Amino acid sequence: MRTQDVRQRLTTPLSSPAYPPMVPRFTDREYLNIVYRTDPDALRAVVPEPLRIDEPLVRFEVMKMGDVSGYGPYTEAGQAIPVGFEGERGEYLHAMYLDNFPATASGREVAAYPKVIGSPSLYVDSGAVVGTLDHGSLRVATATMGYKHHELDRAEAEAQITVPTFMLKTIPGYDGLPRVQELVRTRITDLTVKGAWTGPARLQLFQHVLAPLADLPVLEVVSASHILTDLMLAGVEPVHDYLKGGASS
């Protein structure tokens, strides 16, 4: 393979890349969001500077991807933490678990999503929307919300989903030290809210050493939403370089 051909490949194996070279579109992306209050000291231990915490809140989310171009359907779950950065309010993606390897690999390599393999699910059971996350054979999280109890204003639903998202991009060098270490920013684009609801909700988190969601304990459920969308993801932009000690250019 010629050098110019190698330079055009985004990932390995060269003859069968781990993910397609495309920007995916998400159709019928379904969210279950549970916002809860947690221990502020636990939050401060995991949110990197220069991000700032206003309230000790966490959003547990389960997302069922009805159809994703290039990847097909899959499900994802994780935790997002409301933060501030240079006067802008957004969310820091703390951890994401999903059941699709190409989406996991591309999310980590092309962008900076903190994705690892897990077994999430989202379904309706006896009048409740149920979101779960398993790691291996063990349950890590169970979320329930009353199914379509109340309509949620679609503008409010859009505002929940389109806040800027901050992530940490870390790529090690061959000496074991970080070669790239940046705070990056992205957001959802081309969003259509197709349905949105709210209702009573509960969330249980279970201790697991390799999926430590329970390190951010549930003290009080603040709000919940169930939202159906079509959308796309914008590219990422670096906003802070930890190796240089300042803003990225």
Side-chain angles (χ1 to χ4, degrees):
M1 185 178 290
R2 296 175 300 174
T3 297
Q4 56 265 40
D5 295 327
V6 173
R7 288 175 175 170
Q8 293 176 1
R9 305 302 171 95
L10 295 177
T11 185
T12 57
L14 291 179
S15 59
S16 57
Y19 48 85
M22 62 179 300
V23 177
R25 177 164 181 79
F26 297 80
T27 303
D28 291 335
R29 179 169 177 166
E30 184 178 7
Y31 288 82
L32 172 60
N33 299 305
I34 310 290
V35 177
Y36 69 92
R37 197 174 306 279
T38 192
D39 180 353
D41 291 334
L43 275 189
R44 282 190 284 269
V46 298
V47 174
E49 294 180 335
L51 298 176
R52 294 288 181 262
I53 300 165
D54 293 328
E55 290 188 76
L57 300 177
V58 181
R59 181 172 63 85
F60 174 76
E61 63 179 1
V62 182
M63 297 173 287
K64 186 176 183 179
M65 319 299 183
D67 180 70
V68 187
S69 53
Y71 301 92
Y74 64 93
T75 308
E76 185 169 330
Q79 290 170 311
I81 300 169
V83 294
F85 176 74
E86 295 185 347
E88 182 178 46
R89 299 179 66 87
E91 289 184 331
Y92 170 66
L93 292 186
H94 176 51
M96 308 174 80
Y97 303 84
L98 55 160
D99 57 7
N100 181 300
F101 176 74
T104 302
S106 66
R108 292 180 64 94
E109 293 182 18
V110 177
Y113 293 94
K115 296 188 174 187
V116 294
I117 292 294
S119 299
S121 65
L122 181 61
Y123 58 95
V124 177
D125 180 47
S126 299
V129 185
V130 180
T132 65
L133 173 61
D134 293 347
H135 189 284
S137 62
L138 298 178
R139 178 59 45 89
V140 176
T142 299
T144 55
M145 174 184 144
Y147 181 68
K148 296 185 178 181
H149 279 205
H150 308 286
E151 290 276 354
L152 179 65
D153 181 77
R154 295 196 179 189
E156 182 180 344
E158 181 175 341
Q160 288 184 19
I161 294 174
T162 56
V163 296
T165 298
F166 297 95
M167 302 170 287
L168 183 63
K169 177 89 168 186
T170 298
I171 301 175
Y174 299 110
D175 58 0
L177 299 175
R179 188 172 180 176
V180 175
Q181 194 165 63
E182 297 174 329
L183 185 70
V184 304
R185 178 190 183 278
T186 186
R187 70 186 311 153
I188 284 170
T189 65
D190 195 21
L191 173 69
T192 300
V193 176
K194 303 166 78 171
W197 304 269
T198 187
R202 299 290 186 272
L203 174 62
Q204 293 174 286
L205 302 178
F206 305 95
Q207 297 284 351
H208 194 299
V209 65
L210 300 182
L213 281 74
D215 285 2
L216 302 178
V218 180
L219 302 183
E220 176 193 9
V221 171
V222 174
S223 65
S225 59
H226 176 209
I227 305 172
L228 183 63
T229 67
D230 296 339
L231 57 84
M232 295 187 72
L233 301 176
V236 300
E237 57 174 346
V239 295
H240 182 83
D241 191 325
Y242 290 92
L243 302 183
K244 295 180 181 179
S248 295
S249 58

